[in-house]
Amino acid sequence: MTRTKILFVAEAVTLAHIGRPLSLAQGLDEDAYDVHFACADGYDFCFRQAALRRWRIDSIPSQQFLQALAKGKPVYTESTLLQYVADDLRLLNTVQPDLVIGDFRLSLSVSARLQRIPYMTVSNAYWSPHVRQHYTVPSLPLTSVLPIWLANPLFRLIRPLAFAAHAVPLNRVRRQHGLPSLGSDLRRTYTDADRTLYADIPQLFAPQAMPPTHDYLGAVIWAPPLELPDWWQRAELSSGRPIIYVTLGSSGQGQLLPRVLRALAPLPVTVLAATAGTIRVDAVPPNAFVAPFLPGDAAARRASLVICNGGSPTSQQALTAGVPVIGIAGNLDQFLNMHGIVGAGAGLLLRADRFQETALRHAATRMLDDAQARLAARQLAAAFQACPPAPRLLANIRALLAPAPHGGQP
């Protein structure tokens, strides 16, 4: 039997955009699918247990990506996306896949169409044009000089213009290659594909007139295959005190981690913290254990509360374990994700640019005592369990590759 060749392309600007497609790739049956994976250098530790063919493709540096987000500037220039398209085309011509699946590789909106290769993208539902969102001003230069009560209405006023500016580079590249513009809504550039899959559930982000080519995948859970720290089995971790798992992630406010640990130090809890390799913690409180990386899914299952940057990867690790979340959000992606969680009653949102240790300590105490938040988290865990990503991915692959009526293209 000829195996279907699938190429996953990850935009390696954060670890999440590597881990999510890698988790999906590893879930495919090797007897039915010839799986290939392309990403930038520097992520070898992620592939130690991965039986797939790897390819190298460039991405902008993570720091450049994070700085653009922090300043509210477009992440990609026209010249960068033109180079991306050229790189994509070389890769597609070499691999010759039957299907390409991208995670935040916006240039595939052009290159896959030029090669007439079926293209699927993985995104989050809060970036969908078919999900209503509540926009709160993220951490921007604007919020450093204005109070939030004033920055918020200004941001909502200029947000459509900002989205339009962010959409310009890809639209220009599309026009240069004879493809139509996607319009001024940034959400369309983030979700344009032959089939769009959201690593979310509708209970958190309800659809509105969503087309049949858009679907929910559920939670795509992944943790790097690393050795556990020597303290993982320490007796203190089974002492009966509540465990709080803390990580601010590769795209979070890493410099806040020492202050987070200090805020939790007076509480009768045990803290498990991961630095994501972004910061050194010189003074570790007596109730805390710190490592560069931890298996977030296992840490969340041991915890009574998870504190993170509010992004979907760690918050989904928490919610699939039925554990409430405190999100210390900085960028817009994190705010959008946390709005869904807060709306479901399973978390609290704090601002990274207004961080106060006393506020976090009070929030943690409140959440540890909040039976309603625990119930909401357990209900979301059941909803995630009812939406497993592997069969949903397979169903969408088959639908996309199915022959169209009368022998046409799918």
Side-chain angles (χ1 to χ4, degrees):
M1 182 181 72
T2 302
R3 294 187 299 167
T4 300
K5 185 183 290 186
I6 298 182
L7 171 63
F8 288 82
V9 183
E11 175 65 348
V13 289
T14 68
L15 187 58
H17 293 302
I18 298 288
R20 186 162 60 184
L22 181 55
S23 176
L24 294 173
Q26 290 178 298
L28 292 175
D29 183 356
E30 294 179 32
D31 293 331
Y33 297 97
D34 178 14
V35 181
H36 297 243
F37 197 101
C39 68
D41 291 335
Y43 294 89
D44 286 352
F45 70 96
C46 297
F47 294 88
R48 291 177 183 171
Q49 299 173 4
L52 42 77
R53 176 73 183 275
R54 288 182 60 194
W55 301 87
R56 181 188 177 279
I57 195 165
D58 287 331
S59 293
I60 62 173
S62 293
Q63 195 59 34
Q64 178 181 336
F65 171 77
L66 296 175
Q67 287 176 352
L69 290 183
K71 295 177 180 178
K73 294 182 177 180
V75 172
Y76 299 104
T77 64
E78 181 181 345
S79 61
T80 295
L81 289 175
L82 283 169
Q83 185 61 54
Y84 271 28
V85 170
D87 291 346
D88 292 351
L89 291 174
R90 283 192 290 270
L91 176 68
L92 295 173
N93 281 321
T94 300
V95 179
Q96 295 286 308
D98 299 303
L99 167 67
V100 59
I101 300 176
D103 193 313
F104 203 60
R105 186 74 177 186
L106 305 186
S107 52
L108 289 171
S109 171
V110 178
S111 54
R113 271 51 179 274
L114 295 178
Q115 292 295 99
R116 298 184 181 276
I117 296 173
Y119 165 44
M120 184 180 294
T121 189
V122 179
S123 185
N124 283 103
Y126 45 79
W127 285 113
S128 173
H130 308 288
V131 171
R132 181 175 294 173
Q133 264 297 352
H134 169 79
Y135 290 98
T136 298
V137 62
S139 300
L140 294 171
L142 179 71
T143 63
S144 66
V145 296
L146 292 178
I148 299 302
W149 65 264
L150 181 56
N152 248 332
L154 286 176
F155 174 75
R156 289 172 185 152
L157 182 66
I158 65 174
R159 195 269 310 166
L161 297 176
F163 273 24
H166 282 69
V168 165
L170 182 60
N171 282 327
R172 287 179 174 171
V173 171
R174 287 177 61 88
R175 283 194 292 268
Q176 289 184 49
H177 288 90
L179 296 172
S181 168
L182 294 172
S184 61
D185 190 340
L186 177 65
R187 298 173 299 177
R188 287 198 63 200
T189 69
Y190 279 6
T191 59
D192 175 65
D194 299 317
R195 208 159 187 98
T196 303
L197 303 183
Y198 300 116
D200 285 301
I201 52 175
Q203 288 85 347
L204 281 174
F205 305 101
Q208 292 189 322
M210 188 171 283
T213 55
H214 292 231
D215 196 12
Y216 290 86
L217 263 182
V220 182
I221 302 299
W222 176 84
L226 299 173
E227 292 185 7
L228 293 170
D230 56 8
W231 48 256
W232 185 255
Q233 301 297 339
R234 293 276 289 272
E236 299 95 304
L237 301 183
S238 303
S239 64
R241 296 201 306 177
I243 290 176
I244 299 179
Y245 170 47
V246 177
T247 181
L248 299 181
S250 61
S251 61
Q253 308 292 325
Q255 71 275 11
L256 292 179
L257 183 58
R259 296 179 63 192
V260 169
L261 296 180
R262 197 160 58 233
L264 301 175
L267 299 181
V269 299
T270 298
V271 178
L272 312 183
T275 68
T278 61
I279 189 171
R280 176 178 172 179
V281 180
D282 293 319
V284 178
N287 70 335
F289 297 84
V290 179
F293 292 97
L294 291 173
D297 50 350
R301 287 194 297 269
R302 299 182 75 169
S304 300
L305 175 66
V306 170
I307 298 175
C308 64
N309 62 17
S312 64
T314 303
S315 61
Q316 288 184 357
Q317 288 175 335
L319 295 175
T320 54
V323 177
V325 180
I326 293 177
I328 307 174
N331 64 47
L332 183 58
D333 185 275
Q334 295 158 359
F335 275 90
L336 293 177
N337 182 62
M338 283 305 301
H339 281 312
I341 295 171
V342 172
L348 289 176
L349 170 61
L350 301 179
R351 297 189 62 93
D353 58 359
R354 297 294 192 274
F355 180 79
Q356 294 180 337
E357 293 177 24
T358 54
L360 176 61
R361 186 156 53 246
H362 292 154
T365 301
R366 170 185 165 186
M367 291 300 286
L368 288 171
D369 293 334
D370 193 335
Q372 288 301 314
R374 292 195 299 273
L375 175 61
R378 289 195 296 270
Q379 290 172 337
L380 289 173
F384 276 116
Q385 187 175 8
C387 188
R392 299 188 75 87
L393 175 64
L394 287 175
N396 280 278
I397 289 174
R398 291 167 184 151
L400 183 54
L401 295 180
H406 311 297
Q409 292 295 316

